[in-house]
Amino acid sequence: MRYIVMFLIVANLGYFGWQIYFPSESFPAVAAEPRPLLKQGLLLLHEFNTQSANLAQAQTHAARPCYLVGDFNGIDDVNSFLQRIAAIGYRAELHLAGEVLPPSYRVYLPPASNREIATITLDGLSERLVVENLQVETYLITRGLLENAVALGVFPVLEDALRIRDQVAGLGYLVEIEEIPQSTGALQIVLAKPDFTPLDVAEWLEFAGDRPDLTYSENLCETIAQGAQFP
């Protein structure tokens, strides 16, 4: 037993001396890279409810039926239809098929209360233009939302429309400018019912029966505004 104790003492002294004269090479500590928790760790109840509500809303929105209505003869035809469906609460917005082109600009006097007053206004303006030697195209609009308005021309450049507006306004008339969107394709409308329920044939015939030339087809329902987009 005594020899074993002495052997252990001598061995420890030898190891201690070796560490002093021949130290072992030290290596820098390297921090372990953080690993993401599986499934992003714990999910709080309110976070789960929020995510569930957002998912349900997205699925409901994707299932909303919308319809593409067309084709229309012009922006006046579009505006008349928009006004009609807005009166019964339908949601709609203008859709330009094809490549979108720069808009044109229509200059006009606001609609009169009846055809007789509109005709008197047109005749009086025509006489003033002759006296002032101004070359302005004038005619009476007889249908649509601008019925009984006096048209002063449609221009592809805003500067020309502003020039005509200023000339006629200088004669004491109230003049307005309407921007008319244009494209290489047809003018159409994206339509949806107020509650985004499917549109059946009977409903379509009820408010579009006087327009047998119009057709509708189911379309991808994206964000759609309430009511008509154009007055």
Side-chain angles (χ1 to χ4, degrees):
M1 185 67 182
R2 183 178 58 181
Y3 296 106
I4 295 176
V5 174
M6 293 179 63
F7 173 77
L8 292 176
I9 294 174
V10 173
N12 285 324
L13 291 175
Y15 178 76
F16 180 73
W18 178 272
Q19 291 296 325
I20 294 177
Y21 294 100
F22 302 98
S24 58
E25 183 179 358
S26 60
F27 296 93
V30 179
E33 295 183 0
R35 293 184 299 174
L37 296 176
L38 295 178
K39 299 183 180 180
Q40 297 182 349
L42 296 176
L43 185 65
L44 299 180
L45 179 59
H46 73 87
E47 295 176 336
F48 174 79
N49 292 336
T50 301
Q51 292 183 13
S52 299
N54 292 338
L55 179 60
Q57 183 179 8
Q59 292 174 343
T60 302
H61 181 76
R64 289 177 174 178
C66 287
Y67 302 89
L68 192 62
V69 181
D71 295 336
F72 293 90
N73 297 325
I75 194 63
D76 290 336
D77 196 16
V78 170
N79 288 339
S80 296
F81 188 83
L82 285 174
Q83 185 183 54
R84 180 175 182 178
I85 61 178
I88 58 177
Y90 277 57
R91 302 168 182 263
E93 64 182 16
L94 177 65
H95 172 73
L96 299 177
E99 180 184 356
V100 177
L101 301 175
S104 57
Y105 303 90
R106 174 164 55 188
V107 187
Y108 62 95
L109 304 185
S113 56
N114 56 60
R115 182 64 54 84
E116 181 180 1
I117 295 178
T119 301
I120 294 174
T121 301
L122 175 61
D123 293 340
L125 175 60
S126 298
E127 293 177 359
R128 292 291 305 277
L129 293 174
V130 171
V131 172
E132 300 294 333
N133 195 27
L134 296 176
Q135 302 297 321
V136 180
E137 176 186 9
T138 59
Y139 58 91
L140 192 64
I141 300 177
T142 59
R143 56 186 297 180
L145 296 181
L146 293 180
E147 182 178 357
N148 295 329
V150 176
L152 305 176
V154 178
F155 305 91
V157 181
L158 178 59
E159 286 72 14
D160 293 339
L162 293 174
R163 176 176 52 82
I164 295 299
R165 182 200 63 182
D166 294 342
Q167 289 178 348
V168 177
L171 302 178
Y173 292 89
L174 176 63
V175 186
E176 297 185 5
I177 296 179
E178 177 188 19
E179 181 179 302
I180 302 176
Q182 298 186 105
S183 70
T184 57
L187 292 175
Q188 300 171 325
I189 288 176
V190 179
L191 172 69
K193 294 176 61 175
D195 54 359
F196 288 99
T197 56
L199 177 68
D200 57 44
V201 177
E203 289 175 313
W204 169 258
L205 294 177
E206 182 178 353
F207 68 83
D210 60 337
R211 293 292 309 272
D213 55 315
L214 290 181
T215 60
Y216 76 98
S217 58
E218 192 166 350
N219 184 66
L220 176 64
C221 191
E222 299 177 352
T223 303
I224 186 169
Q226 172 64 47
Q229 292 294 297
F230 297 89

